Amino acid sequence: MKLGGDRETAGMRLSFSRHCVALIWSKRARARIFNESPQGCACIALRCRFMSLNPVQPPPTQDHKGIFTRLPFSEVTDKDLTFFKDLIPGRVVTDEDDLKSHNIDWLRTVRGHSKLLLRPKNTEEVSNILKYCNDRNLAVTPQGGNTGLVGGSVPVFDEIIISTALMDKVISFDQVSGSLVCQCGCILESLNQYLEGQGYIMPLDLGAKGSCHIGGNIATNAGGLRLLRYGSLRGTVLGLEAVLPNGTVLNCLNSLRKDNTGYDLKQLFIGSEGTLGLITAISILCPRKPSSVNVALLGCESFSKVLQVFTLCRDLLGEILSAFEFQDLESMNVVQTHLKLMNPLQESPFYILIETAGSSVQHDEEKLNVFLAKALESGLVNSGTVATDQSKIKVMEICI
Amino acid sequence: MKLGGDRETAGMRLSFSRHCVALIWSKRARARIFNESPQGCACIALRCRFMSLNPVQPPPTQDHKGIFTRLPFSEVTDKDLTFFKDLIPGRVVTDEDDLKSHNIDWLRTVRGHSKLLLRPKNTEEVSNILKYCNDRNLAVTPQGGNTGLVGGSVPVFDEIIISTALMDKVISFDQVSGSLVCQCGCILESLNQYLEGQGYIMPLDLGAKGSCHIGGNIATNAGGLRLLRYGSLRGTVLGLEAVLPNGTVLNCLNSLRKDNTGYDLKQLFIGSEGTLGLITAISILCPRKPSSVNVALLGCESFSKVLQVFTLCRDLLGEILSAFEFQDLESMNVVQTHLKLMNPLQESPFYILIETAGSSVQHDEEKLNVFLAKALESGLVNSGTVATDQSKIKVMEICI
């Protein structure tokens, strides 16, 4: 296998979109559209407002002349449909209305025109599908939750969509090591809920958690809110299984904390965005659920002070610091205008949201209070507020 | 470039030893030979005892018939020597006595017979050396601190040794992000000392720190004592630069916390043990130096209880837990016999060493005391002792 994969012989087309969309609101605010309320209602309002500014049906991506050229892949025939219906009966979608949402990205900026969506349940089915498509020279687009913001999860032309929605089983969880093994189509939030019942959490969290699939998270090397604390997927993913474009199953699905056997091939798939193969299962190291979570929102006069606050955080909050995010005044204004949320602080050029997560409520509050006092006394921040109550935490997170 | 590299056209030979040596003492005890005293003296005694059990000169590796066959690489000629002396004057070693220690591994179990050692100072020199060797079909062995225990850092036959000893410069350090950029030949302990002056530490620590090179650590994906807390090098290495076997310089040396541009090629080099190229520079994410470090040594009746203690640690010590290691009674006996150190605990089938590292002395002590009380009351441990004093910490670490 050549490094970088051979996209043509695999029958797998690049679905990268070259349309970069400037987000007009923070990622967290956007996330709430999926899975939070009552803020969810406000966020739905935001999305509706956004949609009113954008066409319901974006123009077909293929109409962007000079950017995309359909390579000489085959087209789906009745014989192909017969094959897929025999392979995965009841899970072959051809209805145009049913396919609409799968052909358009979440931001509604790009649109493919796939005529066929397949819903495999397991690795063997994915392998058979890809092998067939490879033999027939049919292009495919893997699709998880279709929550990506760069158009990478939808077809450009008429590629067959392979949805991971039905590959949503937890395979195993080791209570001692915290290693979770699951299929690629597990929704991130569902995994988190499952783990919380065991006293653990996922090492990543992001706005689209109510819809995104863990396979897609790994294929895009998603960062998210917990990256500062738990590191990137390159460190937390212990193993994965993927089906290569020709149908070969590559099994690197071990759960060893450190495995120096040979080259770490799984790392090529992390962040490969579906160009090397379809990730079908993963093994990931999960941290313990923290007993104590606090969030503070601070106002800052300059970006230089934002960096100094970050350094102070690392000194005084140290091991309990779990998130540090900032936004500027314009972003805050957007949140207030469109989400009708009140800024709990005085107007400032910059805002910082700090989250701590630890094993002792008392210790964490003491550390946070020492930090806040220092930050205010030194003039690094001009205002601040702390939330320990979950509902207030959610509101503050929306503001950022 | 084919995945896995083409070892023959690169002129780079596998130096993996297939001789697995069973360690008769713990890794930490062995480490003290390099860099600790007065325990260092005891450890030198241990090493001398070990050496008395092993021949001073191990038999040549090539004499292991049926295991290694010298492939048809060229031999070094006077013309080659002239080239290298012009390229890196004063840094070409051919004296047999000088070469002895470079031909033998640290455990003194395997021995090559290289006649030439080169000491480049920078990436350009490494590139020129490898290009030349590739063109001349000369085999090479990259060598860092030569502290590996699997014979991977010494020649099998007469490969040219490329030492990274002179590539020991720190290139830059970012005080805000904690990103360190340095050459491959920096000694791990030296880097740690440099960082401590800045309020940071290296994310890994291991017994050979007084001699091992960071390039070698990365090439072997070394784990070490801090892996539990800071994760593996796959997560902490942000970038690296390597010279490929044909002399091409592959520059992936960025310090972005998360970089999803293309495939993460650097991951192939991490753990590749010098088979794909010679790592010449690295960028690594360093954590803040903890203000408070505690070590506890506990006795346990069974391995099952060891696992339960681990779970309890994660519950009660949480974010301050930085190391959790165990050993059995036989290993403890070896330490006592050969290092003349007293076991501070009653005899137990298993011993656990726990290290905490945090930002608050008071909070960490409170957490540790709660944990110890719980561990004793519940019968998970039968005895324990805590060290907060650095010298006592070192002694306890030697025992494990």
Side-chain angles (χ1 to χ4, degrees):
Chain A
M1 185 185 84
K2 278 196 200 162
L3 205 66
D6 186 340
R7 293 168 188 150
E8 293 186 15
T9 58
M12 195 172 287
R13 291 291 306 281
L14 270 182
S15 290
F16 291 168
S17 168
R18 288 186 173 79
H19 300 107
C20 291
V21 179
L23 288 177
I24 62 167
W25 72 91
S26 74
K27 282 197 288 190
R28 289 195 195 213
R30 166 257 191 220
R32 301 309 180 217
I33 290 169
F34 285 130
N35 56 6
E36 300 293 346
S37 66
Q39 298 85 359
C41 300
C43 293
I44 290 170
L46 174 61
R47 192 183 184 199
C48 291
R49 180 172 168 81
F50 182 70
M51 285 171 67
S52 72
L53 300 172
N54 286 276
V56 170
Q57 279 268 85
T61 311
Q62 66 179 3
D63 289 352
H64 288 89
K65 296 273 185 283
I67 296 178
F68 295 109
T69 304
R70 190 186 187 284
L71 293 172
F73 287 104
S74 305
E75 293 189 6
V76 174
T77 63
D78 287 340
K79 193 175 167 194
D80 299 323
L81 286 177
T82 303
F83 171 83
F84 291 127
K85 285 174 181 171
D86 284 342
L87 181 67
I88 50 173
R91 290 176 277 132
V92 176
V93 179
T94 53
D95 181 85
E96 201 175 329
D97 286 334
D98 291 340
L99 285 168
K100 257 191 192 140
S101 63
H102 295 278
N103 269 309
I104 299 175
D105 69 316
W106 190 87
L107 280 178
R108 308 190 73 79
T109 58
V110 290
R111 177 161 65 97
H113 58 90
S114 174
K115 295 179 177 48
L116 175 60
L117 181 145
L118 305 174
R119 289 197 172 115
K121 274 188 186 172
N122 53 51
T123 303
E124 189 184 353
E125 288 176 354
V126 172
S127 172
N128 289 333
I129 289 169
L130 287 186
K131 184 178 186 319
Y132 181 85
C133 291
N134 188 39
D135 293 341
R136 276 276 297 127
N137 195 31
L138 289 163
V140 303
T141 293
Q143 188 175 87
N146 195 12
T147 55
L149 302 178
V150 295
S153 53
V154 294
V156 178
F157 299 100
D158 59 334
E159 301 93 286
I160 297 169
I161 301 169
I162 302 179
S163 167
T164 54
L166 297 185
M167 298 180 68
D168 60 353
K169 306 289 177 290
V170 168
I171 298 170
S172 69
F173 178 66
D174 185 310
Q175 265 282 0
V176 176
S177 64
S179 310
L180 171 77
V181 182
C182 64
Q183 286 186 305
C184 58
C186 291
I187 292 174
L188 182 59
E189 188 168 47
S190 304
L191 288 175
N192 210 54
Q193 285 163 352
Y194 166 82
L195 287 168
E196 284 190 345
Q198 319 260 354
Y200 285 81
I201 55 173
M202 286 296 281
L204 77 162
D205 183 27
L206 41 126
K209 61 187 174 187
S211 303
C212 64
H213 296 185
I214 189 64
N217 294 149
I218 288 167
T220 54
N221 192 23
L225 313 170
R226 293 177 184 158
L227 184 126
L228 184 69
R229 175 67 169 265
Y230 303 115
S232 79
L233 288 171
R234 297 202 177 281
T236 53
V237 169
L238 302 176
L240 61 77
E241 175 192 78
V243 179
L244 301 183
N246 65 358
T248 302
V249 177
L250 181 70
N251 188 347
C252 305
L253 192 66
N254 85 70
S255 299
L256 288 176
R257 184 63 189 87
K258 188 166 84 83
D259 182 0
N260 283 350
T261 313
Y263 303 117
D264 197 3
L265 295 182
K266 73 170 185 287
Q267 294 286 347
L268 288 176
F269 290 88
I270 300 174
S272 64
E273 305 211 25
T275 58
L276 297 180
L278 198 155
I279 296 169
T280 45
I282 66 108
S283 166
I284 189 164
L285 187 67
C286 304
R288 294 289 289 171
K289 182 181 172 181
S291 319
S292 161
V293 177
N294 297 298
V295 167
L297 190 65
L298 310 171
C300 234
E301 287 304 318
S302 67
F303 186 68
S304 154
K305 286 189 174 174
V306 168
L307 296 182
Q308 293 177 65
V309 170
F310 178 63
T311 302
L312 190 68
C313 270
R314 295 184 79 178
D315 284 344
L316 298 182
L317 299 175
E319 65 280 3
I320 66 168
L321 182 64
S322 60
F324 185 100
E325 306 211 356
F326 86 98
Q327 66 177 121
D328 60 13
L329 177 56
E330 283 187 44
S331 307
M332 180 63 87
N333 288 340
V334 164
V335 171
Q336 291 184 89
T337 304
H338 297 283
L339 296 186
K340 310 296 179 203
L341 292 172
M342 191 183 70
N343 178 358
L345 299 180
Q346 71 190 44
E347 199 172 90
S348 296
F350 293 94
Y351 299 90
I352 300 170
L353 185 137
I354 292 163
E355 183 188 77
T356 68
S359 53
S360 164
V361 172
Q362 180 197 342
H363 290 169
D364 289 8
E365 278 186 20
E366 285 175 19
K367 283 187 175 80
L368 192 55
N369 290 339
V370 167
F371 160 75
L372 289 171
K374 183 89 188 211
L376 280 160
E377 280 161 16
S378 60
L380 286 178
V381 307
N382 55 31
S383 57
T385 183
V386 178
T388 50
D389 177 77
Q390 264 305 309
S391 59
K392 289 182 187 159
I393 287 176
K394 285 188 162 59
V395 172
M396 283 165 77
E397 289 182 349
I398 285 174
C399 291
I400 290 279
Chain B
M1 184 187 82
K2 279 196 199 164
L3 206 65
D6 185 341
R7 293 170 188 150
E8 293 187 14
T9 58
M12 194 171 289
R13 291 291 306 283
L14 270 181
S15 290
F16 291 170
S17 166
R18 289 184 174 76
H19 301 106
C20 293
V21 179
L23 287 178
I24 62 165
W25 71 91
S26 73
K27 280 195 290 188
R28 288 196 197 212
R30 168 263 192 209
R32 301 310 178 212
I33 289 171
F34 286 129
N35 56 8
E36 300 293 344
S37 65
Q39 296 85 2
C41 300
C43 293
I44 290 168
L46 173 60
R47 191 183 186 199
C48 291
R49 180 173 167 82
F50 182 69
M51 285 172 65
S52 71
L53 301 171
N54 286 277
V56 170
Q57 278 271 84
T61 311
Q62 66 180 4
D63 289 351
H64 289 88
K65 296 275 185 287
I67 296 179
F68 296 109
T69 305
R70 191 186 187 284
L71 293 173
F73 286 105
S74 305
E75 292 190 6
V76 174
T77 63
D78 287 341
K79 195 173 166 193
D80 299 323
L81 286 177
T82 303
F83 171 82
F84 292 128
K85 284 173 180 170
D86 284 342
L87 182 67
I88 50 173
R91 292 176 277 132
V92 176
V93 179
T94 53
D95 181 84
E96 200 176 329
D97 286 335
D98 292 340
L99 285 168
K100 258 190 192 144
S101 63
H102 295 279
N103 269 308
I104 299 174
D105 70 315
W106 190 88
L107 280 177
R108 307 191 75 79
T109 58
V110 289
R111 176 162 65 98
H113 58 90
S114 174
K115 295 177 175 49
L116 175 61
L117 180 145
L118 304 175
R119 289 199 172 114
K121 275 187 187 172
N122 54 50
T123 303
E124 189 183 353
E125 288 177 352
V126 172
S127 171
N128 289 332
I129 289 169
L130 287 186
K131 184 179 185 321
Y132 181 86
C133 290
N134 188 40
D135 292 342
R136 274 277 295 127
N137 195 30
L138 289 163
V140 303
T141 293
Q143 188 175 86
N146 196 11
T147 56
L149 302 177
V150 295
S153 53
V154 294
V156 179
F157 298 99
D158 59 337
E159 301 92 286
I160 297 170
I161 301 169
I162 303 179
S163 167
T164 55
L166 297 184
M167 298 180 68
D168 60 354
K169 306 288 176 291
V170 167
I171 298 170
S172 68
F173 178 67
D174 185 310
Q175 265 283 0
V176 176
S177 64
S179 310
L180 172 77
V181 182
C182 65
Q183 286 187 304
C184 58
C186 291
I187 291 173
L188 182 59
E189 187 168 48
S190 304
L191 288 176
N192 210 55
Q193 285 163 354
Y194 167 82
L195 288 168
E196 283 191 345
Q198 318 262 355
Y200 285 80
I201 56 172
M202 286 296 282
L204 78 162
D205 183 27
L206 42 127
K209 62 187 174 188
S211 303
C212 64
H213 295 185
I214 189 64
N217 295 150
I218 288 167
T220 53
N221 192 23
L225 315 169
R226 294 178 183 158
L227 185 127
L228 184 70
R229 174 68 169 264
Y230 302 115
S232 80
L233 288 171
R234 297 200 178 283
T236 53
V237 170
L238 302 176
L240 61 78
E241 175 193 77
V243 178
L244 302 183
N246 65 358
T248 302
V249 178
L250 181 70
N251 188 345
C252 305
L253 192 65
N254 82 71
S255 298
L256 287 176
R257 184 61 189 89
K258 188 165 84 84
D259 182 0
N260 283 350
T261 313
Y263 303 118
D264 197 5
L265 296 182
K266 73 172 185 289
Q267 294 286 348
L268 288 177
F269 290 88
I270 300 173
S272 64
E273 305 211 28
T275 58
L276 298 179
L278 199 154
I279 296 170
T280 44
I282 65 110
S283 166
I284 190 164
L285 187 67
C286 304
R288 295 288 290 173
K289 180 180 174 181
S291 318
S292 159
V293 177
N294 297 298
V295 167
L297 191 66
L298 311 171
C300 234
E301 287 303 321
S302 67
F303 186 68
S304 154
K305 286 189 174 174
V306 168
L307 295 182
Q308 292 176 65
V309 171
F310 179 63
T311 303
L312 190 68
C313 270
R314 295 184 80 178
D315 283 344
L316 299 182
L317 297 175
E319 63 282 1
I320 66 168
L321 182 63
S322 60
F324 185 99
E325 308 210 355
F326 87 99
Q327 65 177 126
D328 59 14
L329 178 57
E330 283 187 45
S331 307
M332 180 63 86
N333 289 340
V334 164
V335 172
Q336 290 183 92
T337 303
H338 296 283
L339 296 187
K340 312 294 179 204
L341 292 171
M342 191 183 70
N343 179 356
L345 300 180
Q346 71 190 45
E347 201 172 88
S348 297
F350 292 95
Y351 298 91
I352 300 169
L353 186 137
I354 292 164
E355 184 188 76
T356 69
S359 53
S360 164
V361 172
Q362 180 198 340
H363 290 170
D364 289 8
E365 278 186 21
E366 286 175 18
K367 283 186 175 80
L368 191 55
N369 290 339
V370 167
F371 159 76
L372 289 171
K374 183 91 187 207
L376 281 159
E377 282 162 16
S378 60
L380 287 178
V381 306
N382 55 32
S383 58
T385 184
V386 178
T388 50
D389 178 75
Q390 266 304 306
S391 60
K392 289 182 187 159
I393 287 176
K394 284 185 164 56
V395 172
M396 284 166 74
E397 289 181 347
I398 286 174
C399 291
I400 290 278

